[in-house]
């Protein structure tokens, strides 16, 4: 962990963005709760994703499927057989690690020491061994590379074994032999099993997409990067069903569209990059990650996958229910309708929590401010969250300059007039500078101050978070002014 991530974790707790789950009991590893400002920021991110999918695209509709699904779902999807992490224990420290992560970190070490070729060779070798499920080979690689336990600095490693990441729970209250029910490890399968329900009920024509936001659960081993890797998290996924043969174009289209979304949210282009997968998951024909440069390096934020007809074909085989679409469009090559087929799928999958973390990291700034001239010059630092106004938890704070002369009443009046359109706070306590500071810390783009002049001419000052500049404007213009700034 770099200092910067520590600062962000501390800030997130202190200002009500993210708390460790069950903190009074010393927490539960890799599980987190969102506080009053965090839930607003996260809801705003989810709403923008939802609108960008289902409102900006007339061929994408949404669903909200259950977390529990028939156990066969996970057999068909390949998760029971193949959703594993290779684990290794250190015998001295009794700590458990992901074997692939130990090797990844070693490869990164080589790369940082300007030995990129050696790093790349190690990554390639690890990929080859994992694909072949050669666990003894993975362990040998850890020994050859002389990788020590990060805690006890010994190389006393156990064998490597595969560990399934799915959580399960008792499936039936009456039948103790009933198979377990899993907590879904991805939201995608809820979309696949509803493919025909949605297609028919919403009268969708291929190509079309189904979007969903929901919780997913994975029994992850590595838990050192705050909300980057959680055991309970939220995914925003969209499965786009296309005619076989057209998946390449759609893959490129969604790849570009998704990157544009992140840039529109204010994530700088220089901190985003595509990373093509060399090692493909069991379902994928092509896969790319959109990575963000977190304080701990470039890491996956979103995955875009060309899944072919893998999922629908698997469900068709196991359920014995046809998962086909009849395409009445005419194929120019044959002059006949394309007819029945199992559509191919291009998927976009982004973690709401990882997008939240990227947004928070990008917004967080400790700024040095110089004030005054010559001998009277002073410098101070302020912490400010430069959030895109569209995602800021509070859009505007309203302050009566003093708690008398009718200013609090006027401020209340403005609050009541604007509260139907924006999430606001009204604050009377403390000096005005202190109140500005509190809003900077949570990323509120505007502070509206009611002063003596307001009572005479119905104008207020609007103080801008980023520039700290103030402008005077009529109360009647506030709604359109703020509305313009917070639109996406
Ligand atoms: P990683 O390689 O980091 O484990 P993944 O490739 O397994 O991620 P996917 O299965 O493609 O991830 O899931 C899609 C998205 O869901 C990821 O891009 C990420 O944003 C999010 N995600 C996956 N696992 C977690 C997790 N444990 N905590 C938070 N978000 C997650």
């Amino acid at each position: 962990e770099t200092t910067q991530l520590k600062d962000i974790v501390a800030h997130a707790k202190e200002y009500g963005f993210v708390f460790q789950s069950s903190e009074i009991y010393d927490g539960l590893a890799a599980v987190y709760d969102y506080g009053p400002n965090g839930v607003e920021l996260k809801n705003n991110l989810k709403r923008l994703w939802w609108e960008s999918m289902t409102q900006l695209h007339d061929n994408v509709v949404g669903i909200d499927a259950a977390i529990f699904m028939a156990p066969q779902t996970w057999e068909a999807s390949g998760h029971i057989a193949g959703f594993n992490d290779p684990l290794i224990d250190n015998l001295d420290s009794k700590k458990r690690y992901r074997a692939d992560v130990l090797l990844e970190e070693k490869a990164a070490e080589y790369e940082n020491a300007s030995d990129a070729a050696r790093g790349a060779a190690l990554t390639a070798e690890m990929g080859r061994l994992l694909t072949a499920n050669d666990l003894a080979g993975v362990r040998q690689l850890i020994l050859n590379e002389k990788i020590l336990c990060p805690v006890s600095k010994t190389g006393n490693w156990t064998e490597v074994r595969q560990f399934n990441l799915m959580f399960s729970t008792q499936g039936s209250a009456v039948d103790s032999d009933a198979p377990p029910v899993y907590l879904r490890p991805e939201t995608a399968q809820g979309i696949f099993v509803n493919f025909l329900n949605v297609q028919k009920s919403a009268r969708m024509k291929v190509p079309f997409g189904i979007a969903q936001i929901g919780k997913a659960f994975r029994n992850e081993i590595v838990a050192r990067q705050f909300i980057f890797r959680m055991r309970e998290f939220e995914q925003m996924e969209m499965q786009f069903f296309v005619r076989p043969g057209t998946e390449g174009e759609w893959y490129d289209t969604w790849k570009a569209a998704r990157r544009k979304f992140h840039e529109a949210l204010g994530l700088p282009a220089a901190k985003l990059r595509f990373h093509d997968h060399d090692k493909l998951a069991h379902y994928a024909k092509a896969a790319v990650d959109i990575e963000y440069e977190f304080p701990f390096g470039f890491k996956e934020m979103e995955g875009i996958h060309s899944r072919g007809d893998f999922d629908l074909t698997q469900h068709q085989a196991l359920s014995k229910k046809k998962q086909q679409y009849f395409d009445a469009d005419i194929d120019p090559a044959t002059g006949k309708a394309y007819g029945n087929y199992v559509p191919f799928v291009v998927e976009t999958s982004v973690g709401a929590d990882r997008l939240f973390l990227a947004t928070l990291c990008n917004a967080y700034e400790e700024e040095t401010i110089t004030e005054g001239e010559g001998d009277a010059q002073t410098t101070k630092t302020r912490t400010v969250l430069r959030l895109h106004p569209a995602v800021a938890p509070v859009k505007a704070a309203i302050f009566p300059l003093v708690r008398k002369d009718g200013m609090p009443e006027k401020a209340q009046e403005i609050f009541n007039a604007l509260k139907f359109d924006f999430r606001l706070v009204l604050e009377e306590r403390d000096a005005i500078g202190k109140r500005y500071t509190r809003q900077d810390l949570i990323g509120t783009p505007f502070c509206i101050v009611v002063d003596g002049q307001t009572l005479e001419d119905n104008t207020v000052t609007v103080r801008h978070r980023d520039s700290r500049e103030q402008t005077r404007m009529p109360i009647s213009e506030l709604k359109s002014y703020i509305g313009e700034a917070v639109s996406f």
Side-chain angles (χ1 to χ4, degrees), residues 385-442:
L385 291 189
R386 297 190 193 280
L387 292 169
H388 188 304
V391 300
V394 177
K395 305 304 183 201
I398 305 170
F399 303 153
L401 186 63
V402 290
R403 294 168 89 172
K404 56 179 188 192
D405 302 337
M407 291 181 207
E409 292 77 8
K410 193 73 187 170
Q412 183 71 52
E413 214 178 274
I414 298 172
F415 181 91
N416 291 344
L418 295 178
K419 71 181 178 187
F420 298 98
D421 297 286
F422 311 111
R423 189 158 183 278
L424 309 168
V425 300
L426 185 61
E427 270 206 318
E428 301 185 353
R429 275 169 302 155
D430 297 325
I432 203 82
K434 242 187 179 171
R435 283 183 269 172
Y436 287 152
T437 300
R438 277 203 291 270
Q439 297 307 316
D440 287 345
L441 289 164
I442 64 166

Coordinates of all heavy atoms in Angstrom, one line a residue, residues 385-442:
L385 N -12.0 17.1 -2.8 CA -12.4 16.1 -3.7 C -12.9 16.8 -5.0 O -14.0 17.4 -4.9 CB -13.5 15.2 -3.1 CG -13.1 14.3 -2.0 CD1 -14.3 13.3 -1.7 CD2 -11.9 13.4 -2.2
R386 N -12.2 16.6 -6.0 CA -12.6 17.3 -7.3 C -13.5 16.3 -8.1 O -13.1 15.8 -9.1 CB -11.4 17.7 -8.1 CG -10.5 18.7 -7.5 CD -9.5 19.2 -8.5 NE -8.5 20.0 -7.8 CZ -8.6 21.3 -7.4 NH1 -9.7 21.9 -7.7 NH2 -7.6 21.9 -6.8
L387 N -14.6 16.0 -7.5 CA -15.6 15.0 -8.2 C -16.3 15.7 -9.3 O -16.6 16.9 -9.2 CB -16.6 14.6 -7.1 CG -16.1 13.7 -6.0 CD1 -17.2 13.5 -4.9 CD2 -15.7 12.3 -6.5
H388 N -16.6 15.0 -10.3 CA -17.5 15.5 -11.4 C -18.8 15.8 -10.6 O -19.3 15.0 -9.9 CB -17.8 14.4 -12.4 CG -18.5 14.8 -13.6 ND1 -19.7 15.4 -13.5 CD2 -18.2 14.8 -14.9 CE1 -20.2 15.8 -14.7 NE2 -19.2 15.4 -15.6
P389 N -19.3 17.1 -10.9 CA -20.6 17.5 -10.2 C -21.7 16.5 -10.3 O -22.5 16.3 -9.4 CB -20.9 18.8 -10.8 CG -19.6 19.3 -11.3 CD -18.8 18.2 -11.7
A390 N -21.7 15.7 -11.4 CA -22.8 14.7 -11.6 C -22.8 13.6 -10.6 O -23.8 13.0 -10.3 CB -22.8 14.1 -13.0
V391 N -21.6 13.3 -10.0 CA -21.5 12.2 -9.0 C -21.3 12.7 -7.6 O -21.4 11.9 -6.7 CB -20.4 11.2 -9.4 CG1 -20.7 10.6 -10.8 CG2 -19.0 11.8 -9.3
A392 N -21.1 14.0 -7.4 CA -20.9 14.5 -6.0 C -22.1 14.2 -5.1 O -23.2 14.3 -5.6 CB -20.7 16.0 -6.1
P393 N -21.8 13.7 -3.9 CA -22.9 13.4 -3.0 C -23.8 14.5 -2.7 O -25.0 14.4 -2.6 CB -22.2 13.0 -1.7 CG -20.8 12.7 -2.1 CD -20.5 13.5 -3.3
V394 N -23.3 15.7 -2.5 CA -24.1 16.9 -2.3 C -23.8 17.9 -3.4 O -22.6 18.1 -3.8 CB -23.7 17.6 -0.9 CG1 -24.4 18.9 -0.7 CG2 -23.9 16.6 0.2
K395 N -24.8 18.4 -4.1 CA -24.6 19.3 -5.2 C -24.4 20.7 -4.8 O -23.6 21.5 -5.4 CB -25.9 19.3 -6.1 CG -26.3 17.9 -6.6 CD -25.2 17.1 -7.3 CE -25.7 15.8 -7.8 NZ -24.5 14.9 -8.0
A396 N -25.0 21.2 -3.7 CA -24.8 22.5 -3.2 C -25.1 22.6 -1.7 O -25.9 21.9 -1.2 CB -25.7 23.5 -4.0
A397 N -24.3 23.5 -1.0 CA -24.5 23.7 0.4 C -25.0 25.2 0.5 O -24.5 26.0 -0.2 CB -23.2 23.5 1.1
I398 N -25.9 25.4 1.4 CA -26.5 26.7 1.5 C -26.2 27.2 2.9 O -26.5 26.6 3.9 CB -28.0 26.7 1.3 CG1 -28.3 26.1 -0.1 CG2 -28.6 28.1 1.4 CD1 -29.8 25.8 -0.3
F399 N -25.5 28.4 3.0 CA -25.0 29.0 4.2 C -25.6 30.4 4.5 O -25.3 31.3 3.7 CB -23.5 29.1 4.2 CG -22.7 27.9 3.9 CD1 -21.5 28.0 3.3 CD2 -23.2 26.6 4.3 CE1 -20.7 26.9 3.1 CE2 -22.4 25.5 4.0 CZ -21.2 25.6 3.4
P400 N -26.3 30.6 5.6 CA -26.6 32.0 6.0 C -25.2 32.5 6.5 O -24.6 31.8 7.3 CB -27.6 31.9 7.1 CG -27.6 30.4 7.5 CD -27.0 29.6 6.5
L401 N -24.8 33.7 6.1 CA -23.5 34.2 6.6 C -23.5 34.3 8.1 O -22.5 33.9 8.7 CB -23.3 35.6 6.0 CG -22.0 36.3 6.2 CD1 -20.8 35.4 5.7 CD2 -21.9 37.7 5.7
V402 N -24.6 34.8 8.7 CA -24.7 34.9 10.2 C -26.1 34.3 10.6 O -27.0 34.3 9.8 CB -24.5 36.3 10.7 CG1 -23.0 36.7 10.6 CG2 -25.4 37.3 10.1
R403 N -26.2 34.0 11.8 CA -27.4 33.4 12.3 C -28.4 34.4 12.9 O -28.9 34.3 14.0 CB -27.1 32.3 13.4 CG -26.4 31.2 12.9 CD -25.8 30.3 14.1 NE -26.8 29.3 14.5 CZ -26.6 28.4 15.4 NH1 -25.4 28.3 15.9 NH2 -27.5 27.5 15.7
K404 N -28.6 35.5 12.1 CA -29.5 36.5 12.5 C -30.0 37.3 11.3 O -29.6 37.0 10.2 CB -28.9 37.4 13.6 CG -27.6 38.0 13.1 CD -27.0 38.9 14.2 CE -25.8 39.7 13.7 NZ -25.0 40.4 14.6
D405 N -30.8 38.4 11.6 CA -31.2 39.3 10.5 C -32.0 38.7 9.4 O -32.0 39.2 8.3 CB -30.0 40.1 9.9 CG -29.2 40.8 11.0 OD1 -29.8 41.1 12.0 OD2 -28.0 41.1 10.7
G406 N -32.6 37.5 9.7 CA -33.5 36.9 8.7 C -32.7 36.1 7.7 O -33.3 35.5 6.7
M407 N -31.3 36.0 7.8 CA -30.6 35.2 6.9 C -30.9 33.7 7.0 O -31.0 33.0 5.9 CB -29.1 35.4 7.0 CG -28.7 36.8 6.6 SD -26.9 37.1 6.8 CE -26.9 38.9 7.0
P408 N -31.0 33.1 8.2 CA -31.3 31.7 8.2 C -32.6 31.4 7.5 O -32.8 30.3 6.8 CB -31.4 31.4 9.7 CG -30.5 32.4 10.4 CD -30.7 33.6 9.5
E409 N -33.6 32.2 7.7 CA -34.9 32.0 7.1 C -34.8 32.0 5.6 O -35.4 31.2 4.9 CB -35.9 33.1 7.6 CG -36.3 32.9 9.1 CD -35.3 33.5 10.0 OE1 -34.3 34.1 9.6 OE2 -35.4 33.3 11.2
K410 N -34.0 33.0 5.1 CA -33.9 33.1 3.6 C -33.2 31.9 3.1 O -33.5 31.3 2.0 CB -33.0 34.4 3.3 CG -33.0 34.8 1.9 CD -34.4 35.4 1.5 CE -34.5 35.6 0.0 NZ -35.9 36.0 -0.4
A411 N -32.1 31.4 3.8 CA -31.4 30.2 3.4 C -32.4 29.0 3.3 O -32.3 28.2 2.4 CB -30.3 29.9 4.3
Q412 N -33.2 28.9 4.4 CA -34.2 27.8 4.4 C -35.1 27.9 3.2 O -35.5 26.8 2.6 CB -35.0 27.9 5.7 CG -36.0 26.8 5.9 CD -35.3 25.4 6.2 OE1 -34.5 25.3 7.1 NE2 -35.6 24.4 5.4
E413 N -35.5 29.1 2.9 CA -36.4 29.3 1.7 C -35.8 28.8 0.4 O -36.4 28.1 -0.4 CB -36.6 30.8 1.6 CG -38.0 31.3 1.1 CD -38.0 32.8 1.1 OE1 -38.3 33.4 2.1 OE2 -37.6 33.4 0.0
I414 N -34.5 29.1 0.2 CA -33.7 28.6 -1.0 C -33.6 27.1 -1.0 O -33.9 26.4 -2.0 CB -32.3 29.3 -1.0 CG1 -32.5 30.8 -1.1 CG2 -31.5 28.7 -2.2 CD1 -31.2 31.6 -1.0
F415 N -33.3 26.6 0.2 CA -33.2 25.1 0.4 C -34.5 24.4 -0.1 O -34.5 23.5 -0.9 CB -32.9 24.8 1.9 CG -32.8 23.3 2.1 CD1 -31.6 22.7 2.1 CD2 -33.9 22.5 2.5 CE1 -31.4 21.3 2.3 CE2 -33.8 21.2 2.8 CZ -32.5 20.6 2.7
N416 N -35.7 25.0 0.5 CA -37.0 24.4 0.1 C -37.3 24.5 -1.4 O -37.9 23.6 -1.9 CB -38.1 25.0 0.9 CG -38.0 24.7 2.4 OD1 -37.3 23.7 2.8 ND2 -38.6 25.5 3.3
A417 N -36.8 25.5 -2.0 CA -37.1 25.7 -3.4 C -36.3 24.8 -4.3 O -36.8 24.4 -5.4 CB -36.9 27.2 -3.8
L418 N -35.1 24.4 -3.8 CA -34.2 23.6 -4.7 C -34.1 22.2 -4.3 O -33.6 21.3 -5.1 CB -32.8 24.2 -4.6 CG -32.5 25.6 -5.2 CD1 -31.1 26.0 -5.0 CD2 -32.9 25.7 -6.7
K419 N -34.7 21.8 -3.2 CA -34.5 20.4 -2.7 C -35.2 19.3 -3.6 O -34.8 18.2 -3.5 CB -35.0 20.3 -1.2 CG -36.5 20.3 -1.0 CD -36.8 20.2 0.4 CE -38.3 20.3 0.6 NZ -38.7 20.4 2.1
F420 N -36.1 19.7 -4.4 CA -36.8 18.7 -5.3 C -35.9 18.4 -6.4 O -36.0 17.4 -7.1 CB -38.1 19.3 -5.8 CG -39.1 19.5 -4.6 CD1 -39.2 20.8 -4.1 CD2 -39.8 18.5 -4.1 CE1 -40.1 21.0 -3.1 CE2 -40.6 18.7 -3.0 CZ -40.8 20.0 -2.5
D421 N -34.9 19.2 -6.7 CA -34.0 19.0 -7.9 C -32.6 18.5 -7.5 O -32.0 17.8 -8.3 CB -33.9 20.3 -8.7 CG -35.2 20.8 -9.2 OD1 -35.7 20.1 -10.2 OD2 -35.8 21.7 -8.7
F422 N -32.2 18.9 -6.3 CA -30.8 18.6 -6.0 C -30.7 18.1 -4.5 O -31.4 18.6 -3.7 CB -29.9 19.8 -6.2 CG -30.0 20.5 -7.5 CD1 -30.6 21.8 -7.5 CD2 -29.6 19.9 -8.6 CE1 -30.8 22.4 -8.7 CE2 -29.8 20.5 -9.9 CZ -30.4 21.8 -9.9
R423 N -29.6 17.3 -4.3 CA -29.3 17.0 -2.9 C -28.5 18.1 -2.3 O -27.4 18.4 -2.8 CB -28.6 15.6 -2.8 CG -28.5 15.2 -1.4 CD -28.2 13.7 -1.2 NE -28.2 13.4 0.2 CZ -27.1 13.6 0.9 NH1 -26.0 13.9 0.4 NH2 -27.2 13.3 2.2
L424 N -29.0 18.7 -1.2 CA -28.4 19.9 -0.7 C -28.1 19.7 0.8 O -28.6 18.8 1.4 CB -29.4 21.1 -0.7 CG -30.1 21.4 -2.1 CD1 -31.2 22.3 -1.9 CD2 -29.0 22.0 -3.0
V425 N -27.2 20.6 1.3 CA -27.1 20.7 2.8 C -27.3 22.1 3.2 O -27.0 23.0 2.4 CB -25.8 20.1 3.4 CG1 -25.6 18.6 3.1 CG2 -24.6 20.9 3.0
L426 N -27.8 22.3 4.4 CA -28.0 23.7 4.9 C -27.2 23.7 6.2 O -27.4 22.9 7.1 CB -29.5 23.8 5.2 CG -30.1 25.1 5.7 CD1 -29.9 26.2 4.7 CD2 -31.6 25.0 6.0
E427 N -26.3 24.7 6.3 CA -25.4 24.7 7.5 C -25.3 26.1 8.0 O -25.0 27.1 7.3 CB -24.0 24.2 7.2 CG -23.9 22.7 7.4 CD -22.4 22.3 7.6 OE1 -21.5 22.9 7.0 OE2 -22.2 21.5 8.5
E428 N -25.6 26.3 9.3 CA -25.5 27.6 10.0 C -24.3 27.8 10.9 O -23.9 28.9 11.2 CB -26.8 27.8 10.8 CG -28.1 27.7 10.0 CD -29.3 28.0 10.9 OE1 -29.2 28.2 12.1 OE2 -30.4 28.1 10.3
R429 N -23.8 26.6 11.4 CA -22.8 26.7 12.4 C -21.4 27.0 11.8 O -21.1 26.7 10.7 CB -22.7 25.4 13.2 CG -23.8 25.3 14.3 CD -23.8 23.9 14.8 NE -24.2 23.0 13.7 CZ -23.9 21.7 13.7 NH1 -23.2 21.2 14.6 NH2 -24.3 20.9 12.7
D430 N -20.6 27.6 12.7 CA -19.1 27.8 12.4 C -18.9 29.0 11.4 O -19.8 29.4 10.7 CB -18.4 26.5 11.9 CG -18.5 25.4 12.9 OD1 -18.3 25.8 14.1 OD2 -18.6 24.3 12.5
A431 N -17.6 29.4 11.4 CA -17.2 30.5 10.5 C -17.4 30.0 9.0 O -17.3 28.8 8.8 CB -15.8 30.8 10.7
I432 N -17.6 30.9 8.1 CA -17.9 30.5 6.8 C -16.7 29.7 6.1 O -16.9 28.8 5.4 CB -18.2 31.8 5.9 CG1 -19.0 31.4 4.7 CG2 -17.0 32.6 5.5 CD1 -20.5 31.3 5.0
G433 N -15.5 30.1 6.5 CA -14.3 29.4 5.9 C -14.3 27.9 6.3 O -14.0 27.0 5.5
K434 N -14.7 27.6 7.6 CA -14.8 26.3 8.1 C -15.8 25.5 7.3 O -15.7 24.3 7.0 CB -15.1 26.3 9.6 CG -14.1 25.7 10.4 CD -14.6 25.6 11.9 CE -13.6 24.9 12.7 NZ -13.9 25.0 14.1
R435 N -16.9 26.2 7.0 CA -18.0 25.5 6.3 C -17.6 25.2 4.9 O -17.9 24.1 4.4 CB -19.3 26.4 6.3 CG -20.0 26.3 7.7 CD -21.3 27.1 7.7 NE -21.1 28.5 8.1 CZ -22.0 29.5 8.1 NH1 -23.2 29.2 7.6 NH2 -21.7 30.7 8.5
Y436 N -16.9 26.1 4.3 CA -16.3 25.8 2.9 C -15.4 24.5 3.0 O -15.5 23.7 2.1 CB -15.5 27.0 2.4 CG -16.2 28.2 2.0 CD1 -15.6 29.5 2.0 CD2 -17.5 28.1 1.5 CE1 -16.3 30.6 1.6 CE2 -18.2 29.3 1.0 CZ -17.6 30.5 1.1 OH -18.2 31.7 0.7
T437 N -14.6 24.5 4.0 CA -13.6 23.4 4.1 C -14.4 22.1 4.2 O -14.0 21.1 3.5 CB -12.7 23.6 5.4 OG1 -12.1 24.8 5.2 CG2 -11.8 22.5 5.5
R438 N -15.4 22.0 5.0 CA -16.2 20.8 5.1 C -16.7 20.3 3.8 O -16.8 19.1 3.5 CB -17.3 21.0 6.2 CG -16.8 20.8 7.6 CD -18.0 20.4 8.5 NE -18.9 21.5 8.7 CZ -18.8 22.4 9.7 NH1 -17.9 22.4 10.6 NH2 -19.8 23.4 9.8
Q439 N -17.2 21.3 3.0 CA -17.8 20.9 1.7 C -16.7 20.5 0.7 O -16.9 19.6 -0.1 CB -18.6 22.0 1.1 CG -19.8 22.4 2.0 CD -20.7 21.2 2.3 OE1 -21.0 20.3 1.5 NE2 -21.1 21.1 3.6
D440 N -15.5 21.1 0.8 CA -14.4 20.7 -0.1 C -14.0 19.3 0.2 O -13.7 18.5 -0.8 CB -13.2 21.6 0.2 CG -13.3 23.0 -0.4 OD1 -14.2 23.2 -1.2 OD2 -12.5 23.9 0.0
L441 N -14.1 18.9 1.4 CA -13.7 17.5 1.8 C -14.6 16.4 1.3 O -14.2 15.3 1.2 CB -13.6 17.4 3.4 CG -12.5 18.2 4.0 CD1 -12.7 18.4 5.5 CD2 -11.1 17.5 3.8
I442 N -15.8 16.8 1.0 CA -16.7 15.8 0.4 C -17.1 16.1 -1.0 O -17.9 15.3 -1.6 CB -18.0 15.6 1.3 CG1 -18.9 16.9 1.3 CG2 -17.7 15.2 2.7 CD1 -20.3 16.7 1.8

